[in-house]
Amino acid sequence: MQMKDLAQTYEYLKQFLTEERLSKIEHFSRESSDFVLPVVEDIYQFRNAAAIVRSVEACGFHKVVALQEEYSFEPNLRVTKGADTWVEVEKLPRNMESFQNIKDRGYKIVVVSLENNAKMLPEYEITEPIALVFGTEMEGVSQEILDFADETLAIPMYGFTRSFNVSVAASICMYELKQKLIKSGIDYKLNEEKLLRMKILWTVNSIRSGQQIFEKYLKENNIDWK
């Protein structure tokens, strides 16, 4: 899809938005980033799924990769508080091919774990895009994934408890990494094409029957969204 088609599609869809919603989309999209890509493994508690989505969006990251095996990633909408409107959830099978797929997109695989001489979050320097992997609620990250990962990252613990709930860990990591990016001088925000695609998705999600309107427009104008 060419930039011209993206721009025209967004211009068409904007007419269905209120001025208030359009203003919010324009404002918050400027801070969006995919420099940190949260990856969650087989999350089965819908409240945890929802809390992760909510924290990711609040920190200005708008995509989550959910690796599924036994359980489907289904956030509780009462807990997300509307954050699911703004966060794209990509569902992939929980296997090593999916991790390789993510790595092939240009992400360093960083697992949140105390294993393998983990670097502590306060001292961690983020210099390139990372896929931040959180394990299952009960078992954590598998040894196979630990062996595949480029790095491990840990949150310092100061009490008897040796781990945070997965949604809490995600919140802490996403917030801290966002602060590091803001202070780094790195160009971590979305490029023009990604930004337009995201604003289109946000607009579609904001319109009643938005998906049908969007698909009809693409068909009538012979536009391939991919």
Side-chain angles (χ1 to χ4, degrees):
M1 195 172 185
Q2 298 181 354
M3 285 295 298
K4 179 185 71 172
D5 291 330
L6 286 171
Q8 290 177 349
T9 300
Y10 184 48
E11 284 300 316
Y12 172 76
L13 292 172
K14 286 196 305 185
Q15 68 179 303
F16 298 99
L17 296 175
T18 64
E19 289 187 10
E20 180 182 10
R21 177 53 62 96
L22 177 59
S23 176
K24 287 183 176 180
I25 287 175
E26 291 292 340
H27 175 76
F28 290 112
S29 64
R30 291 195 292 267
E31 190 55 43
S32 186
S33 172
D34 62 356
F35 207 86
V36 179
L37 178 67
V39 179
V40 295
E41 280 195 273
D42 220 24
I43 300 296
Y44 69 87
Q45 292 188 3
F46 57 81
R47 288 185 177 275
N48 279 338
I52 290 169
V53 167
R54 187 172 172 182
S55 296
V56 166
E57 198 288 318
C59 292
F61 301 100
H62 293 101
K63 184 167 185 175
V64 172
V65 174
L67 302 180
Q68 301 179 149
E69 186 175 42
E70 295 182 48
Y71 306 100
S72 178
F73 187 84
E74 302 295 341
N76 182 306
L77 300 184
R78 287 183 297 176
V79 181
T80 61
K81 298 295 185 181
D84 53 293
T85 301
W86 316 111
V87 177
E88 177 187 358
V89 177
E90 179 182 5
K91 297 180 179 182
L92 296 174
R94 186 191 180 201
N95 55 39
M96 296 313 297
E97 286 76 13
S98 293
F99 279 100
Q100 187 62 55
N101 176 309
I102 294 167
K103 192 167 188 175
D104 291 344
R105 301 179 196 180
Y107 285 99
K108 176 190 287 188
I109 305 297
V110 180
V111 171
V112 179
S113 171
L114 287 168
E115 307 294 329
N116 294 8
N117 298 314
K119 297 179 180 178
M120 290 295 137
L121 180 59
E123 290 74 46
Y124 186 76
E125 293 186 16
I126 181 167
T127 59
E128 60 187 296
I130 65 171
L132 196 63
V133 183
F134 300 91
T136 63
E137 288 102 333
M138 295 297 293
E139 300 173 2
V141 180
S142 69
Q143 188 59 49
E144 187 178 23
I145 296 169
L146 283 168
D147 293 340
F148 180 79
D150 297 297
E151 290 181 319
T152 52
L153 179 65
I155 303 170
M157 308 295 296
Y158 304 104
F160 291 105
T161 304
R162 301 312 302 155
S163 65
F164 286 107
N165 169 279
V166 64
S167 64
V168 174
S171 299
I172 293 170
C173 288
M174 299 306 293
Y175 183 83
E176 286 293 322
L177 290 169
K178 181 58 178 282
Q179 300 310 305
K180 291 175 182 292
L181 285 173
I182 291 172
K183 297 172 184 176
S184 69
I186 294 172
D187 183 12
Y188 64 88
K189 298 180 183 179
L190 297 179
N191 63 32
E192 188 177 0
E193 179 182 346
K194 288 180 178 179
L195 183 62
L196 259 178
R197 284 181 175 274
M198 189 190 67
K199 289 198 288 189
I200 288 170
L201 290 176
W202 284 5
T203 302
V204 169
N205 289 345
S206 298
I207 302 169
R208 181 174 296 182
S209 303
Q211 191 62 39
Q212 292 91 327
I213 293 171
F214 179 48
E215 290 174 358
K216 182 181 178 182
Y217 176 84
L218 294 179
K219 183 177 181 180
E220 289 177 348
N221 291 275
N222 196 29
I223 296 175
D224 183 0
W225 174 244
K226 296 179 181 179

